[in-house]
Amino acid sequence: MLRFSLASHAMVRALGGIALGGLAASPAAADPAIVEQWVARAAESAVIDLTVDDIGHDPQADRTTVTGLSIELSLDEMARVVGAMVGASEDAETGPAGAVTYRLRFPAISFDGLAAEGGYLSADAVEADVLLVDAEIDVGDADIGPTSAIYEGLSITDLRWAQWPEVSAHHDRPASQFLPPLRALTDVSFARMSINQVIARSAIPDRDGEVVQRIDGIGLSDAAGGDIGRLTVEAYAMSAPDEESGEPVAVAAGPISATDYNYGTMIDVMFGDTNTDDYATAVGAFSVADMRVSAPGDGLSLRIDAIAANDIGVRTPQTDILSYLDALIVAGRADPDFEPEAEALIRFVGAIYGAFRLGEFEVSGIVFDTDDEASGLLAAYGLRDLSAAGLGSAYLRGLDVRGKDGEHIRYDQFEVNEIGFPALEALIALGMASEDGEPPAELVLAALPTLGRIINAGVRVRVPEQDTDFALDGSVFEMSDHIGPIPTRLALTVDRLRVNVADLEPQMREAIAGLGYDQLVLSADMLARWEAATSDVHLEAAAELAEGGRLALEGLIGGVPRLIFEKPDQTAAMALLGATFKRLDARFDDASIVERGIALAAAEQDESPEAIRAQLSAIVPVMLAELGDAELAARATAAIGQLVDNGTPVALSIGAPSPVPLVALGMSMRSNPASIVDALEIDVTNPQ
């Protein structure tokens, strides 16, 4: 429907703008003389063909009535410019193919208080019962079918619009030559404009059928210099044949509304004299309510309660768009084999993208049915704070889809937050370097995005045909405190991941089923964070199996410098050599898995549970014999015995009185395990 807003400017221009106001009237001219001058000057224009059947004027009412007003706009030069931009086939003499023609006819149109002064025309009121519009557009190699439209019940109050500038061809400025008329087109003001109904029909090239659109109850108000304060549409409907089947497809929506639709501001900021690094409002708010889509041939029905967008901003592009297009088109005309420089083209596209921001976009209340495949609903999906700098969040909420064969997918929440986009310069540098082979690691790092958080909640997937059934209450993965694109803090939480044992791989399924589980319910927490003041990495991890047990670990690694995050490709090996072990603590709390394991081992070995417990207690001193510390072995044996016999928690603590290099510690464990006891303080206990 934003496309309709753009069309409304063209229509206002047609009412005394595109052709009428475009043919400048004498200063301070009034009433019928203005219209007569439009007709006289139209004969001199290569763009506009204007005719009228009659001009009448009622001095007492100060009303000028024009009957049989016909306007034809031939915008072939603009079409050829667009054709050159999109790579249209060319003729040796005329250049790129292209033709755009608009024909507008008012059986009767009246102007109250029509006047011209100071480069502007104005009218207290404009009224027309009917406006007939026909359009033919052939741009590039795309042929858009002929379109006709009927506007009924047009009324405008306090209308003021800029007179149309003289338009002449500038071969050295094929794109920017259209800026003056484009700015004049947007320089329209009025208190209110209303249209009772619009019906448009468009032929579909190369196949039968047509697209029919109907718009009811159009209202626009508080327009100043091309910026519209408010736009409303009571109802919109569209019907068209399906591209493949030819069956009818219908779309209906309404009401539709927009506030602060600032088309004039967009033109000034993007192409004009207004230069700003701050975002100006392009669209304050836009909403569509109660959208319905029906495609009986495909068995599809879709309903959307609301579509909403807020705070769409625009700023001056970093590249002069019109100057670049001028140079591109001129070069293409001079050399048919011309290809734009890749880097400049990327900057051009990036400049357009980087000129806009989106505060918020959301589609909510979606219900769909595909007859023989699936049906479901989606509460909402959307985006927040999207710009060239990054994306604040993308989310999906309340998805519930059920297949006709018993499939079920539920997703209460999925959300991605705080995505940072790399700078355009970094992407260009990476692209250029990649053309010559493997790019340097520092360029790859500079072009990486950053990610803040991923949230999942209420996930359930059931596919009976594939024996798949799992669920997740929730999970959160966080990355923060970035140095460049590298996070120095990672956190993961998994809350009750449920997996049916029957869905596991055969070997694992057999082992876990032997422990007496039909379903595994797993939860976990992990945290890794780097502390700049001490160059330490803190590690925490915990995993819990419902009706099984919980294992928790905490560790501290020292000697990790900032440089490893700034230049990981150059310093990773050096950092490993400098990293030191400081502390490790572990604790296991049993919740039946030990007893289950003992029962399974007893059954497999045809032994009693007591015999298995004795074996487990006896094996501990054997395993620790290489350490050569009898007291440690005794404490560990006693602690494991308490766990095996009574389910008492067991804890392991390993501390380094002074930091021990990780490399040296690893070598000692392989070559001389007993030396570990001298370097570290180790204990095994049964904490309360």
Side-chain angles (χ1 to χ4, degrees):
M1 297 315 297
L2 289 177
R3 184 171 54 191
F4 166 75
S5 262
L6 290 170
S8 70
H9 285 284
M11 187 183 62
V12 171
R13 176 59 58 193
L15 298 176
I18 292 181
L20 308 181
L23 304 169
S26 300
D31 303 326
I34 298 174
V35 182
E36 291 168 357
Q37 291 177 25
W38 295 340
V39 176
R41 292 289 302 277
E44 303 173 9
S45 173
V47 176
I48 301 168
D49 183 14
L50 185 151
T51 62
V52 299
D53 292 343
D54 187 43
I55 304 171
H57 183 64
D58 181 349
Q60 185 173 359
D62 193 16
R63 171 169 293 186
T64 300
T65 302
V66 182
T67 56
L69 171 60
S70 295
I71 306 166
E72 182 171 316
L73 306 175
S74 298
L75 305 175
D76 295 354
E77 175 64 20
M78 181 182 291
R80 283 192 287 270
V81 169
V82 176
M85 292 165 54
V86 300
S89 57
E90 298 192 18
D91 182 270
E93 296 183 0
T94 63
V100 174
T101 302
Y102 284 96
R103 299 181 186 89
L104 306 100
R105 178 172 174 79
F106 294 92
I109 181 171
S110 64
F111 300 86
D112 290 355
L114 179 63
E117 187 171 7
Y120 285 87
L121 297 105
S122 62
D124 297 334
V126 179
E127 292 186 357
D129 291 335
V130 176
L131 165 62
L132 307 174
V133 179
D134 292 290
E136 295 179 7
I137 302 174
D138 181 7
V139 177
D141 294 329
D143 181 14
I144 301 173
T147 297
S148 63
I150 301 175
Y151 291 73
E152 296 182 351
L154 169 67
S155 176
I156 309 175
T157 59
D158 296 331
L159 174 62
R160 181 177 185 268
W161 67 102
Q163 298 193 48
W164 194 251
E166 294 290 343
V167 179
S168 57
H170 294 277
H171 295 290
D172 59 333
R173 296 190 291 110
S176 57
Q177 67 179 329
F178 294 107
L179 180 58
L182 181 62
R183 296 178 73 175
L185 176 67
T186 63
D187 195 357
V188 178
S189 303
F190 53 83
R192 178 166 178 78
M193 179 172 73
S194 61
I195 304 167
N196 292 339
Q197 185 181 92
V198 178
I199 297 179
R201 299 178 181 273
S202 303
I204 302 174
D206 302 325
R207 59 190 178 97
D208 295 334
E210 63 178 2
V211 178
V212 180
Q213 300 181 79
R214 173 173 170 166
I215 309 171
D216 293 319
I218 302 168
L220 300 95
S221 59
D222 302 323
D227 293 350
I228 299 175
R230 183 170 179 80
L231 180 151
T232 58
V233 174
E234 292 179 3
Y236 170 83
M238 185 276 289
S239 64
D242 181 80
E243 185 174 350
E244 295 182 0
S245 67
E247 295 290 331
V249 176
V251 178
I256 299 166
S257 68
T259 58
D260 296 324
Y261 176 59
N262 298 331
Y263 182 59
T265 295
M266 281 191 276
I267 297 300
D268 285 342
V269 171
M270 289 287 290
F271 308 113
D273 299 328
T274 301
N275 294 308
T276 176
D277 291 330
D278 298 325
Y279 288 101
T281 298
V283 180
F286 173 73
S287 65
V288 179
D290 193 20
M291 175 176 283
R292 287 148 287 146
V293 179
S294 175
D298 294 329
L300 171 66
S301 65
L302 171 68
R303 190 189 79 225
I304 300 174
D305 286 347
I307 302 173
N310 298 306
D311 191 18
I312 300 174
V314 61
R315 64 181 180 182
T316 305
Q318 297 298 308
T319 296
D320 188 326
I321 294 175
L322 292 179
S323 295
Y324 177 78
L325 290 177
D326 285 338
L328 194 68
I329 296 167
V330 169
R333 287 174 174 173
D335 180 5
D337 297 324
F338 168 76
E339 291 187 4
E341 182 183 343
E343 182 176 342
L345 186 59
I346 293 171
R347 290 183 190 279
F348 171 68
V349 175
I352 296 175
Y353 167 75
F356 291 92
R357 73 174 297 273
L358 172 64
E360 184 177 13
F361 171 78
E362 182 176 271
V363 181
S364 59
I366 303 170
V367 180
F368 70 92
D369 194 321
T370 60
D371 280 356
D372 58 348
E373 293 184 7
S375 62
L377 56 87
L378 174 61
Y381 73 88
L383 305 171
R384 291 195 182 99
D385 297 326
L386 174 63
S387 71
L391 174 64
S393 67
Y395 59 88
L396 174 153
R397 298 194 183 109
L399 174 67
D400 197 318
V401 180
R402 296 180 183 273
K404 304 302 182 181
D405 296 322
E407 304 93 340
H408 183 204
I409 298 175
R410 195 191 79 202
Y411 219 132
D412 289 349
Q413 180 185 12
F414 171 77
E415 188 165 345
V416 181
N417 295 325
E418 299 171 15
I419 299 175
F421 297 154
L424 179 61
E425 295 297 330
L427 295 175
I428 291 174
L430 178 62
M432 297 297 104
S434 299
E435 293 180 358
D436 300 325
E438 190 73 20
E442 62 268 19
L443 294 184
V444 176
L445 283 172
L448 290 177
T450 58
L451 173 65
R453 184 183 301 107
I454 301 176
I455 301 171
N456 295 282
V459 182
R460 172 73 186 272
V461 177
R462 182 174 182 270
V463 184
E465 186 175 319
Q466 299 179 8
D467 295 327
T468 298
D469 192 347
F470 73 88
L472 172 68
D473 282 5
S475 69
V476 179
F477 177 55
E478 294 182 273
M479 294 189 285
S480 59
D481 301 336
H482 292 77
I483 296 178
I486 308 299
T488 63
R489 184 182 184 278
L490 298 172
L492 172 65
T493 299
V494 178
D495 182 19
R496 292 181 63 80
L497 171 63
R498 298 186 294 281
V499 180
N500 288 336
V501 174
D503 296 336
L504 299 176
E505 292 295 325
Q507 187 173 359
M508 183 179 294
R509 178 173 65 228
E510 183 178 348
I512 295 178
L515 294 173
Y517 291 105
D518 296 322
Q519 185 183 65
L520 298 180
V521 181
L522 303 166
S523 298
D525 292 284
M526 286 174 271
L527 173 66
R529 60 182 177 87
W530 177 73
E531 190 173 315
T534 59
S535 296
D536 290 341
V537 173
H538 297 257
L539 302 171
E540 299 177 22
E544 182 174 356
L545 173 64
E547 299 183 12
R550 184 177 187 274
L551 175 64
L553 303 170
E554 290 188 28
L556 185 63
I557 304 296
V560 181
R562 180 184 180 88
L563 197 61
I564 192 174
F565 301 103
E566 295 176 336
K567 298 181 178 180
D569 57 305
Q570 301 175 19
T571 60
M574 181 182 69
L576 179 61
L577 293 174
T580 59
F581 174 85
K582 288 189 171 182
R583 186 163 190 85
L584 174 65
D585 294 292
R587 171 171 172 153
F588 175 71
D589 290 79
D590 181 40
S592 85
I593 196 170
V594 171
E595 191 64 31
R596 290 169 185 261
I598 290 173
L600 176 61
E604 290 178 344
Q605 298 177 29
D606 195 19
E607 296 277 359
S608 67
E610 289 73 17
I612 299 299
R613 289 190 179 92
Q615 292 176 20
L616 291 173
S617 297
I619 202 172
V620 173
V622 176
M623 294 175 60
L624 299 179
E626 288 186 334
L627 297 180
D629 188 329
E631 292 184 2
L632 173 61
R635 292 197 302 273
T637 300
I640 296 299
Q642 287 293 318
L643 170 67
V644 171
D645 294 339
N646 304 313
T648 306
V650 63
L652 167 68
S653 64
I654 305 175
S658 59
V660 179
L662 285 176
V663 173
L665 184 61
M667 294 175 62
S668 297
M669 292 177 66
R670 289 193 299 270
S671 61
N672 184 16
S675 65
I676 295 176
V677 177
D678 297 329
L680 303 174
E681 296 176 349
I682 306 173
D683 201 3
V684 182
T685 61
N686 295 114
Q688 298 300 317

